[in-house]
Amino acid sequence: MQDRSGSVAHAVAIATVALAMGAPTAFAQTGAAGGQAPLVAQASRTATFDIPAQPLSQALMAFGRQSGMQIAVDSGSVAGKISAPVTGSMTADQALRQLLSGSGLTYQFTSANAVTVAGAPVPAPGSVPGSSALILDPVRVQAVPTTPSQGEIGNQSPPYAGGQVARGGKVGLLGNRDYMDTPFSETTYTNQYIQNQQARTLTDVLAGDPTLRSGIPNGNVFDDRVMIRGITVLNPNFGLGGLYGIVPNQADMTGIERVEVFRGPTAFLNGALPSAVGGTINLVPKRATDTPITQGTLLYNSDSQLGGSLDVGRRFGPDNELGLRAGGTYYSGDTAVNNQNAERLALTLGFDYRSDRTRIDADLGYLKRDVGAFQGGIFLAPGVQLPPAPYASQSSYQPWERLQGNDVYGALRFEHDIVEGLTGFIKAGARRSNYTSVYFNQNIVNYNGNTTISSAGQYMSTVEALSLEAGLRAKFHTGPIKHEAALVGDYLKTQNYTFNNPIATRLNSNLYNPTFISQPSFFGFRTQGPPLTSDSVYGSIGIVDALSFNDDMFQIIGGARLQRLQTANYSTVTGLPTNGNNQSVVSPSASFVFKPAKEVMVYGNYIQALQQGPVAGAGLTNAGMQFPPFVTNQFEVGVKVDFGYVGATVSAFQITLPSSYTDLATNTLVTNGQQRNQGIEFIAFGEPAPGLKLLGGLTLLNAIQTNTQGGLTNGKQAVGTTPFQASLGLDWDTPYVKGLGVMGRAVYNGQVYLNAANTQAAPPWTRFDAGLRYTFDRTDGKPVTLRANVINVFDANYWIATTSFFVQNQPRTFLLSLTADF
């Protein structure tokens, strides 16, 4: 379904205009239009509404956005009237009936996507008593352009029942697609879900996803790495409005409307990326709505972090064609971890322009972070069993360890409808990130929790990235076959500047009774910026055609992408190139969709991913050699269902990943290793009962090393993977107290091995989260919402491991917020 948010400004028409055009007579708001099957079908389609009591003209615009319908209304008939509130999952007819209750207005569904609202006819001044003729004031009809289905800007999918996820999202060069037309596994989390979870960072948003796990548990860390289908995915593989490589080292949710999680390799869909093997994540920026937005929030995080955020949106121009959306968040103070403090400032600005055939939008963001007692990773000495996790609130890190950084990033997107059914677009984005950390990496040497320092120092990092995309998307027919075709080119240039100032020190400590020492001297450390260490250019051209026939019962999607990966590494001493690679690869893909019934879709896909080849380390016979890119293959089949109030996806997949190891006989790095990840994912979402929202599922994963050095670990579970993980979240709008919502979530993660021989393991863990919210209206009709969430309710202590190093979990953390609209 298209998002019609651009079509619901103050459209002005009156019911008599519809009569003059031969439209059916309007019905009172106490009943829907009758006798017209297409209109009744549209009126009975379920959507999720969240419309507080407010001036009726604004409420009707909100109804149009949330239902995906165009509204025609006599502006005089709604002047001075206040709407009734509408909340929950219901049909458009039910929502409009509730919205207009007590207003004395009538409504009529005049087409599959339009409804007319008007007051009862009143004799106009100057009319002749007893005459059926009316003398009307001039009628001005204002139409705001909508985005065609092949366009992207302003073309978001509507929320699914319950409002926690959307019906679809961006699928690379295929553009925006409904989830029942997408032959891949994808979930799009909405702004409603982000707000109700009080998600400050991307890690908070993804905490309840049953198919992935965050590699580091809270926002006071270096990045947002996640495990998707048993494979680590890092921030360079995250997108902002479909442009990849420009998301900050850690993604703040200020200015973000939605989060789109795509599972599986994406080389064909999104072009060459540093390592988009397990999946990708796309952040959708906020845009100004036709209704002005001024929302302020007071924030509290335990132990004593205080702050606030502001979200302001306005549209300008006679047709609301210009929009601005600005956001800001700041908080600082002590975290729930002893000795740790954190400060964060996030600023975002979004702009958009829309006309009959052209759409432009842009984003600019700034993020500054400062974390004291920064928690890095912990390692385990060979042959040692992992001891129990210490209290999560008791940090064994030095109080003077620190992470400081800032990110500046932005993007510009241009889209033009060349002719009907054909749209061209250009996108450009960039990022500059500067980070410095002072760290002590701990190494556990026995089961009693004694530790030594495996490495220590000051790490400096600067990243500069430029991302470009341009292409054409078209929809057309050849006989009975519908085509959705695209030709897209991508370019991503990334330069990494890094330097490590090592600290020569020794420290014997203990996880449970840590030893704290004075801050060492940093005299003689490098003060200027770090030198260039690597430079990469990833370019690609992709083409796709999605063929649909028999009323979209069958879809066949095929295409390929030619990709070129150019990499170079540089010496930090001389600044000269040490090694590099220049390789071209063709990545094909094929998929299908079959809909045996309206509520059921069966799909399958074959798709690849590319990963930059390894570099042989020092001391090896082929030291410094840069290997060609690894090509990963995925086969996947799945079933999706859509019952209107509940949706679900079940998928089975196999991903074959190349890997490298050292051949001890020749002391040479070789790349004929292999890992095979086979799994089953189940995801369910929706509103199974009025006011009760569901989001959960599970993942069964068999990640096996299939070709290893000398076959020594063949058949063993891959490092950092778990055979079973699950989560279940419920959100209930209680019928007993108006505006009161209750949330609960359980998250489970199975055992994870820390070494290839499967002799060292992190045990399984379970965490419970909970939350309350209460919304009420002020005397002016504007809503106020109080939210209280608890992460890790029972203060469980456990290790989080997604690779050979691991971290402590997030302790019990309280989050409070007070949000008010103005």
Side-chain angles (χ1 to χ4, degrees), residues 610-660:
L610 289 182
Q611 186 176 9
Q612 184 174 316
V615 177
L620 299 177
T621 303
N622 56 346
M625 180 179 176
Q626 169 84 59
F627 284 86
F630 284 156
V631 177
T632 297
N633 297 282
Q634 172 184 277
F635 294 91
E636 179 181 3
V637 293
V639 177
K640 299 182 181 183
V641 296
D642 176 12
F643 298 110
Y645 56 93
V646 168
T649 299
V650 179
S651 59
F653 61 87
Q654 175 176 291
I655 303 176
T656 305
L657 305 92
S659 62
S660 61

Short mmCIF file of all heavy atoms in Angstrom, two decimals, residues 610-660:
data_model
loop_
_atom_site.label_atom_id
_atom_site.label_comp_id
_atom_site.label_asym_id
_atom_site.label_seq_id
_atom_site.Cartn_x
_atom_site.Cartn_y
_atom_site.Cartn_z
N LEU A 610 29.74 -10.27 -0.97
CA LEU A 610 31.19 -10.13 -1.15
C LEU A 610 31.81 -9.68 0.15
O LEU A 610 31.23 -8.89 0.90
CB LEU A 610 31.52 -9.12 -2.24
CG LEU A 610 31.20 -9.52 -3.68
CD1 LEU A 610 31.63 -8.42 -4.64
CD2 LEU A 610 31.89 -10.82 -4.04
N GLN A 611 33.00 -10.17 0.41
CA GLN A 611 33.75 -9.79 1.60
C GLN A 611 35.19 -9.58 1.20
O GLN A 611 35.77 -10.41 0.48
CB GLN A 611 33.64 -10.88 2.67
CG GLN A 611 34.26 -10.51 4.00
CD GLN A 611 34.04 -11.60 5.04
OE1 GLN A 611 33.56 -12.68 4.71
NE2 GLN A 611 34.38 -11.31 6.28
N GLN A 612 35.77 -8.47 1.63
CA GLN A 612 37.15 -8.18 1.28
C GLN A 612 38.07 -9.32 1.72
O GLN A 612 37.96 -9.82 2.83
CB GLN A 612 37.60 -6.87 1.92
CG GLN A 612 38.99 -6.43 1.55
CD GLN A 612 39.32 -5.06 2.11
OE1 GLN A 612 38.52 -4.15 2.05
NE2 GLN A 612 40.51 -4.93 2.69
N GLY A 613 38.95 -9.73 0.82
CA GLY A 613 39.85 -10.83 1.13
C GLY A 613 40.82 -10.48 2.24
O GLY A 613 41.14 -9.31 2.47
N PRO A 614 41.35 -11.49 2.95
CA PRO A 614 42.27 -11.24 4.07
C PRO A 614 43.66 -10.85 3.58
O PRO A 614 44.01 -11.01 2.41
CB PRO A 614 42.29 -12.59 4.79
CG PRO A 614 42.06 -13.58 3.69
CD PRO A 614 41.09 -12.93 2.74
N VAL A 615 44.46 -10.34 4.51
CA VAL A 615 45.86 -10.00 4.26
C VAL A 615 46.71 -10.92 5.13
O VAL A 615 46.48 -11.05 6.34
CB VAL A 615 46.14 -8.52 4.61
CG1 VAL A 615 47.62 -8.21 4.41
CG2 VAL A 615 45.27 -7.61 3.78
N ALA A 616 47.69 -11.58 4.52
CA ALA A 616 48.57 -12.47 5.27
C ALA A 616 49.39 -11.66 6.28
O ALA A 616 49.95 -10.61 5.96
CB ALA A 616 49.50 -13.21 4.32
N GLY A 617 49.44 -12.15 7.50
CA GLY A 617 50.11 -11.43 8.58
C GLY A 617 51.61 -11.57 8.57
O GLY A 617 52.20 -12.39 7.83
N ALA A 618 52.22 -10.78 9.43
CA ALA A 618 53.68 -10.80 9.55
C ALA A 618 54.14 -12.17 10.02
O ALA A 618 53.48 -12.84 10.82
CB ALA A 618 54.14 -9.72 10.52
N GLY A 619 55.31 -12.59 9.52
CA GLY A 619 55.89 -13.87 9.91
C GLY A 619 55.50 -15.03 9.02
O GLY A 619 56.08 -16.11 9.12
N LEU A 620 54.52 -14.84 8.15
CA LEU A 620 54.12 -15.88 7.23
C LEU A 620 54.94 -15.79 5.94
O LEU A 620 55.48 -14.73 5.59
CB LEU A 620 52.62 -15.77 6.90
CG LEU A 620 51.66 -15.92 8.08
CD1 LEU A 620 50.22 -15.71 7.62
CD2 LEU A 620 51.81 -17.30 8.72
N THR A 621 54.99 -16.90 5.24
CA THR A 621 55.76 -16.93 3.99
C THR A 621 55.22 -15.92 2.99
O THR A 621 55.99 -15.28 2.26
CB THR A 621 55.72 -18.34 3.38
OG1 THR A 621 56.23 -19.28 4.34
CG2 THR A 621 56.56 -18.42 2.11
N ASN A 622 53.91 -15.76 2.94
CA ASN A 622 53.28 -14.81 2.02
C ASN A 622 52.81 -13.55 2.74
O ASN A 622 51.77 -12.98 2.42
CB ASN A 622 52.13 -15.46 1.27
CG ASN A 622 51.07 -16.04 2.20
OD1 ASN A 622 51.30 -16.19 3.41
ND2 ASN A 622 49.92 -16.39 1.64
N ALA A 623 53.57 -13.12 3.74
CA ALA A 623 53.20 -11.94 4.54
C ALA A 623 52.94 -10.73 3.65
O ALA A 623 53.68 -10.45 2.70
CB ALA A 623 54.31 -11.62 5.54
N GLY A 624 51.84 -10.00 3.97
CA GLY A 624 51.48 -8.80 3.23
C GLY A 624 50.63 -9.05 2.00
O GLY A 624 50.15 -8.10 1.37
N MET A 625 50.42 -10.31 1.64
CA MET A 625 49.62 -10.62 0.45
C MET A 625 48.15 -10.34 0.71
O MET A 625 47.58 -10.78 1.70
CB MET A 625 49.82 -12.08 0.06
CG MET A 625 49.02 -12.49 -1.17
SD MET A 625 49.31 -14.24 -1.59
CE MET A 625 48.18 -14.43 -2.96
N GLN A 626 47.52 -9.58 -0.20
CA GLN A 626 46.09 -9.28 -0.13
C GLN A 626 45.36 -10.27 -1.05
O GLN A 626 45.60 -10.34 -2.24
CB GLN A 626 45.83 -7.85 -0.59
CG GLN A 626 44.35 -7.52 -0.80
CD GLN A 626 43.65 -7.13 0.48
OE1 GLN A 626 44.03 -6.18 1.13
NE2 GLN A 626 42.62 -7.87 0.83
N PHE A 627 44.44 -11.03 -0.46
CA PHE A 627 43.72 -12.04 -1.24
C PHE A 627 42.49 -11.43 -1.91
O PHE A 627 41.94 -10.42 -1.44
CB PHE A 627 43.30 -13.20 -0.34
CG PHE A 627 44.42 -14.12 0.00
CD1 PHE A 627 45.25 -13.85 1.09
CD2 PHE A 627 44.67 -15.25 -0.75
CE1 PHE A 627 46.30 -14.70 1.41
CE2 PHE A 627 45.72 -16.12 -0.44
CZ PHE A 627 46.53 -15.84 0.64
N PRO A 628 42.03 -12.04 -3.01
CA PRO A 628 40.82 -11.56 -3.69
C PRO A 628 39.61 -11.65 -2.77
O PRO A 628 39.62 -12.34 -1.75
CB PRO A 628 40.69 -12.51 -4.89
CG PRO A 628 42.05 -13.08 -5.09
CD PRO A 628 42.65 -13.16 -3.72
N PRO A 629 38.51 -10.96 -3.14
CA PRO A 629 37.31 -10.97 -2.29
C PRO A 629 36.73 -12.38 -2.15
O PRO A 629 36.79 -13.19 -3.07
CB PRO A 629 36.34 -10.05 -3.05
CG PRO A 629 37.19 -9.23 -3.95
CD PRO A 629 38.36 -10.07 -4.30
N PHE A 630 36.17 -12.62 -0.98
CA PHE A 630 35.43 -13.86 -0.74
C PHE A 630 34.02 -13.71 -1.30
O PHE A 630 33.37 -12.66 -1.14
CB PHE A 630 35.33 -14.15 0.77
CG PHE A 630 36.60 -14.68 1.37
CD1 PHE A 630 36.84 -14.54 2.73
CD2 PHE A 630 37.54 -15.34 0.60
CE1 PHE A 630 38.00 -15.04 3.31
CE2 PHE A 630 38.70 -15.84 1.16
CZ PHE A 630 38.94 -15.70 2.51
N VAL A 631 33.52 -14.76 -1.93
CA VAL A 631 32.15 -14.78 -2.45
C VAL A 631 31.34 -15.75 -1.60
O VAL A 631 31.67 -16.93 -1.49
CB VAL A 631 32.10 -15.20 -3.93
CG1 VAL A 631 30.65 -15.27 -4.41
CG2 VAL A 631 32.90 -14.22 -4.78
N THR A 632 30.28 -15.23 -0.98
CA THR A 632 29.39 -16.03 -0.13
C THR A 632 28.09 -16.29 -0.87
O THR A 632 27.56 -15.40 -1.54
CB THR A 632 29.11 -15.29 1.18
OG1 THR A 632 30.33 -15.13 1.90
CG2 THR A 632 28.12 -16.06 2.05
N ASN A 633 27.55 -17.50 -0.75
CA ASN A 633 26.32 -17.88 -1.43
C ASN A 633 25.23 -18.22 -0.43
O ASN A 633 25.50 -18.90 0.58
CB ASN A 633 26.56 -19.08 -2.34
CG ASN A 633 27.54 -18.79 -3.45
OD1 ASN A 633 27.22 -18.15 -4.44
ND2 ASN A 633 28.79 -19.25 -3.28
N GLN A 634 24.00 -17.77 -0.70
CA GLN A 634 22.86 -18.12 0.14
C GLN A 634 21.73 -18.69 -0.71
O GLN A 634 21.40 -18.17 -1.78
CB GLN A 634 22.32 -16.90 0.89
CG GLN A 634 21.01 -17.19 1.63
CD GLN A 634 20.40 -15.99 2.30
OE1 GLN A 634 20.79 -15.64 3.40
NE2 GLN A 634 19.44 -15.36 1.65
N PHE A 635 21.12 -19.77 -0.21
CA PHE A 635 19.87 -20.29 -0.72
C PHE A 635 18.84 -20.19 0.40
O PHE A 635 19.13 -20.54 1.55
CB PHE A 635 20.00 -21.76 -1.16
CG PHE A 635 20.91 -21.95 -2.35
CD1 PHE A 635 22.27 -22.19 -2.17
CD2 PHE A 635 20.41 -21.88 -3.64
CE1 PHE A 635 23.11 -22.37 -3.26
CE2 PHE A 635 21.25 -22.07 -4.74
CZ PHE A 635 22.59 -22.31 -4.55
N GLU A 636 17.65 -19.72 0.08
CA GLU A 636 16.62 -19.51 1.11
C GLU A 636 15.24 -19.80 0.54
O GLU A 636 14.94 -19.47 -0.61
CB GLU A 636 16.67 -18.07 1.62
CG GLU A 636 15.62 -17.74 2.68
CD GLU A 636 15.68 -16.30 3.14
OE1 GLU A 636 16.50 -15.53 2.60
OE2 GLU A 636 14.91 -15.93 4.05
N VAL A 637 14.41 -20.44 1.33
CA VAL A 637 12.99 -20.61 1.01
C VAL A 637 12.20 -20.20 2.25
O VAL A 637 12.68 -20.31 3.39
CB VAL A 637 12.64 -22.06 0.60
CG1 VAL A 637 13.30 -22.42 -0.71
CG2 VAL A 637 13.04 -23.04 1.70
N GLY A 638 10.98 -19.72 2.03
CA GLY A 638 10.19 -19.28 3.17
C GLY A 638 8.71 -19.15 2.85
O GLY A 638 8.30 -19.22 1.68
N VAL A 639 7.95 -18.94 3.90
CA VAL A 639 6.50 -18.73 3.80
C VAL A 639 6.15 -17.52 4.64
O VAL A 639 6.62 -17.39 5.78
CB VAL A 639 5.71 -19.96 4.29
CG1 VAL A 639 4.21 -19.69 4.23
CG2 VAL A 639 6.06 -21.20 3.47
N LYS A 640 5.33 -16.64 4.09
CA LYS A 640 4.83 -15.49 4.83
C LYS A 640 3.31 -15.54 4.84
O LYS A 640 2.68 -15.96 3.87
CB LYS A 640 5.29 -14.17 4.18
CG LYS A 640 6.80 -14.00 4.14
CD LYS A 640 7.20 -12.65 3.54
CE LYS A 640 8.70 -12.50 3.48
NZ LYS A 640 9.11 -11.18 2.96
N VAL A 641 2.73 -15.09 5.96
CA VAL A 641 1.27 -15.03 6.07
C VAL A 641 0.86 -13.63 6.52
O VAL A 641 1.61 -12.95 7.23
CB VAL A 641 0.72 -16.09 7.06
CG1 VAL A 641 1.00 -17.49 6.55
CG2 VAL A 641 1.31 -15.90 8.45
N ASP A 642 -0.31 -13.23 6.08
CA ASP A 642 -0.86 -11.92 6.44
C ASP A 642 -2.36 -12.07 6.66
O ASP A 642 -3.13 -12.18 5.71
CB ASP A 642 -0.59 -10.91 5.31
CG ASP A 642 -1.22 -9.55 5.59
OD1 ASP A 642 -1.66 -9.33 6.73
OD2 ASP A 642 -1.26 -8.72 4.66
N PHE A 643 -2.76 -12.12 7.92
CA PHE A 643 -4.17 -12.26 8.27
C PHE A 643 -4.80 -10.92 8.62
O PHE A 643 -5.91 -10.88 9.15
CB PHE A 643 -4.33 -13.24 9.43
CG PHE A 643 -3.86 -14.63 9.12
CD1 PHE A 643 -2.72 -15.15 9.71
CD2 PHE A 643 -4.54 -15.42 8.20
CE1 PHE A 643 -2.27 -16.42 9.42
CE2 PHE A 643 -4.10 -16.70 7.90
CZ PHE A 643 -2.97 -17.20 8.51
N GLY A 644 -4.10 -9.83 8.34
CA GLY A 644 -4.63 -8.51 8.64
C GLY A 644 -4.31 -8.05 10.04
O GLY A 644 -3.88 -6.91 10.25
N TYR A 645 -4.48 -8.91 11.01
CA TYR A 645 -4.19 -8.56 12.41
C TYR A 645 -2.91 -9.22 12.91
O TYR A 645 -2.33 -8.78 13.90
CB TYR A 645 -5.36 -8.95 13.31
CG TYR A 645 -5.75 -10.42 13.23
CD1 TYR A 645 -5.21 -11.33 14.11
CD2 TYR A 645 -6.64 -10.87 12.27
CE1 TYR A 645 -5.54 -12.67 14.05
CE2 TYR A 645 -6.99 -12.21 12.20
CZ TYR A 645 -6.44 -13.10 13.08
OH TYR A 645 -6.77 -14.44 12.99
N VAL A 646 -2.47 -10.29 12.26
CA VAL A 646 -1.23 -10.97 12.61
C VAL A 646 -0.51 -11.37 11.32
O VAL A 646 -1.14 -11.87 10.38
CB VAL A 646 -1.47 -12.22 13.48
CG1 VAL A 646 -0.20 -13.07 13.58
CG2 VAL A 646 -1.91 -11.84 14.88
N GLY A 647 0.79 -11.13 11.29
CA GLY A 647 1.63 -11.57 10.18
C GLY A 647 2.79 -12.38 10.69
O GLY A 647 3.16 -12.30 11.87
N ALA A 648 3.39 -13.19 9.83
CA ALA A 648 4.51 -14.03 10.25
C ALA A 648 5.35 -14.42 9.04
O ALA A 648 4.86 -14.44 7.90
CB ALA A 648 4.03 -15.28 10.98
N THR A 649 6.61 -14.73 9.32
CA THR A 649 7.54 -15.24 8.30
C THR A 649 8.27 -16.44 8.88
O THR A 649 8.78 -16.39 9.99
CB THR A 649 8.57 -14.17 7.90
OG1 THR A 649 7.91 -13.04 7.35
CG2 THR A 649 9.54 -14.72 6.87
N VAL A 650 8.31 -17.53 8.11
CA VAL A 650 9.13 -18.70 8.42
C VAL A 650 10.08 -18.89 7.26
O VAL A 650 9.64 -18.98 6.11
CB VAL A 650 8.28 -19.96 8.64
CG1 VAL A 650 9.19 -21.15 8.95
CG2 VAL A 650 7.28 -19.76 9.76
N SER A 651 11.38 -18.97 7.54
CA SER A 651 12.35 -19.11 6.46
C SER A 651 13.40 -20.14 6.85
O SER A 651 13.75 -20.29 8.02
CB SER A 651 13.02 -17.77 6.16
OG SER A 651 13.67 -17.25 7.31
N ALA A 652 13.89 -20.83 5.83
CA ALA A 652 15.00 -21.76 5.99
C ALA A 652 16.10 -21.33 5.03
O ALA A 652 15.83 -21.05 3.86
CB ALA A 652 14.56 -23.19 5.70
N PHE A 653 17.33 -21.30 5.50
CA PHE A 653 18.42 -20.77 4.68
C PHE A 653 19.69 -21.58 4.87
O PHE A 653 19.88 -22.29 5.87
CB PHE A 653 18.71 -19.31 5.05
CG PHE A 653 19.13 -19.10 6.48
CD1 PHE A 653 20.47 -19.21 6.86
CD2 PHE A 653 18.18 -18.80 7.45
CE1 PHE A 653 20.85 -19.02 8.18
CE2 PHE A 653 18.57 -18.61 8.78
CZ PHE A 653 19.91 -18.72 9.13
N GLN A 654 20.56 -21.47 3.87
CA GLN A 654 21.90 -22.01 3.95
C GLN A 654 22.86 -20.99 3.35
O GLN A 654 22.68 -20.54 2.22
CB GLN A 654 22.05 -23.33 3.20
CG GLN A 654 23.49 -23.85 3.17
CD GLN A 654 23.63 -25.19 2.51
OE1 GLN A 654 23.16 -26.19 3.06
NE2 GLN A 654 24.27 -25.24 1.36
N ILE A 655 23.87 -20.61 4.14
CA ILE A 655 24.89 -19.65 3.71
C ILE A 655 26.24 -20.35 3.77
O ILE A 655 26.62 -20.89 4.82
CB ILE A 655 24.91 -18.40 4.61
CG1 ILE A 655 23.53 -17.72 4.62
CG2 ILE A 655 25.96 -17.41 4.14
CD1 ILE A 655 23.43 -16.54 5.56
N THR A 656 26.95 -20.35 2.66
CA THR A 656 28.28 -20.95 2.60
C THR A 656 29.33 -19.85 2.52
O THR A 656 29.34 -19.05 1.58
CB THR A 656 28.41 -21.87 1.38
OG1 THR A 656 27.36 -22.84 1.40
CG2 THR A 656 29.75 -22.59 1.37
N LEU A 657 30.21 -19.79 3.53
CA LEU A 657 31.18 -18.72 3.64
C LEU A 657 32.60 -19.26 3.47
O LEU A 657 32.99 -20.19 4.18
CB LEU A 657 31.11 -18.04 5.02
CG LEU A 657 29.78 -17.47 5.50
CD1 LEU A 657 29.02 -18.50 6.31
CD2 LEU A 657 30.05 -16.24 6.35
N PRO A 658 33.40 -18.67 2.58
CA PRO A 658 34.82 -19.01 2.52
C PRO A 658 35.53 -18.46 3.76
O PRO A 658 35.07 -17.51 4.39
CB PRO A 658 35.31 -18.32 1.25
CG PRO A 658 34.07 -17.90 0.51
CD PRO A 658 33.01 -17.72 1.54
N SER A 659 36.66 -19.04 4.09
CA SER A 659 37.45 -18.55 5.21
C SER A 659 38.92 -18.86 4.95
O SER A 659 39.27 -19.54 3.98
CB SER A 659 36.99 -19.18 6.53
OG SER A 659 37.17 -20.59 6.49
N SER A 660 39.77 -18.35 5.81
CA SER A 660 41.21 -18.55 5.65
C SER A 660 41.79 -19.18 6.90
O SER A 660 41.21 -19.11 7.98
CB SER A 660 41.89 -17.21 5.37
OG SER A 660 41.70 -16.32 6.45
#
